[in-house]
Amino acid sequence: MSATNIYYINDDSFDRVTMQSRMPVIIDFYADWCGPCRTLASIIEKVAEIYDGKVAVCKMNVDENPSTPNRYKISAIPTVILFVDGLAVEKVVGLHDIDFYKELLDKHLYKPEVISEEIVEDSDAEVASDHTL
């Protein structure tokens, strides 16, 4: 895989990557011998390009890293799991097109926020807000 914004992780780095990321993390669990996994690889590359800077796109070889796939009960590949704030929020088994992944990611990236305004009695006070997605 040639995309530079795809990160290959392993059992040792998994918790650090998923728990410490400030953005959602999508992980493609694959094996080199898996035909559908090779087809999905080009779709994952497109996902990495489209969501660069918004989603951390990772891959994990299940043959080389059995602990994490066992932990998440991955019994078929390809499997893709989306983590938000360290929690697995979506698990997708099988081959899906780019539109499927865009819809999946957009659902978690662009959630409507309830924004409350702070009423400040002091007219000299400034109200700052940070509305990051």
Side-chain angles (χ1 to χ4, degrees):
M1 181 149 307
S2 60
T4 59
N5 50 349
I6 296 178
Y7 304 95
Y8 288 82
I9 62 173
N10 57 36
D11 284 336
D12 293 334
S13 63
F14 174 81
D15 284 333
R16 180 177 40 82
V17 169
T18 57
M19 299 296 180
Q20 294 179 2
S21 178
R22 293 183 181 181
M23 62 182 80
V25 177
I26 191 166
I27 302 176
D28 172 19
F29 293 88
Y30 76 99
D32 291 332
W33 50 264
C34 169
C37 296
R38 288 192 298 271
T39 302
L40 181 61
S42 63
I43 295 167
I44 293 297
E45 282 184 3
K46 290 177 189 171
V47 167
E49 290 173 23
I50 294 167
Y51 292 93
D52 188 24
K54 297 176 188 164
V55 175
V57 178
C58 302
K59 293 182 69 71
M60 178 180 278
N61 185 314
V62 298
D63 289 333
E64 297 171 1
N65 302 283
S67 178
T68 303
N70 285 336
R71 180 172 155 192
Y72 286 93
K73 298 178 180 20
I74 295 173
S75 59
I77 52 173
T79 293
V80 173
I81 300 180
L82 176 64
F83 293 85
V84 177
D85 297 326
L87 300 173
V89 296
E90 300 276 354
K91 182 177 180 180
V92 179
V93 179
L95 191 56
H96 298 276
D97 64 13
I98 187 69
D99 291 333
F100 175 88
Y101 288 103
K102 286 167 64 175
E103 184 177 317
L104 176 97
L105 290 169
D106 290 348
K107 176 173 66 172
H108 291 280
L109 283 175
Y110 305 113
K111 292 186 264 186
E113 294 180 7
V114 177
I115 302 170
S116 62
E117 293 184 3
E118 181 179 337
I119 299 174
V120 180
E121 292 183 32
D122 183 357
S123 62
D124 294 332
E126 293 182 27
V127 177
S129 63
D130 179 20
H131 303 290
T132 56
L133 297 178

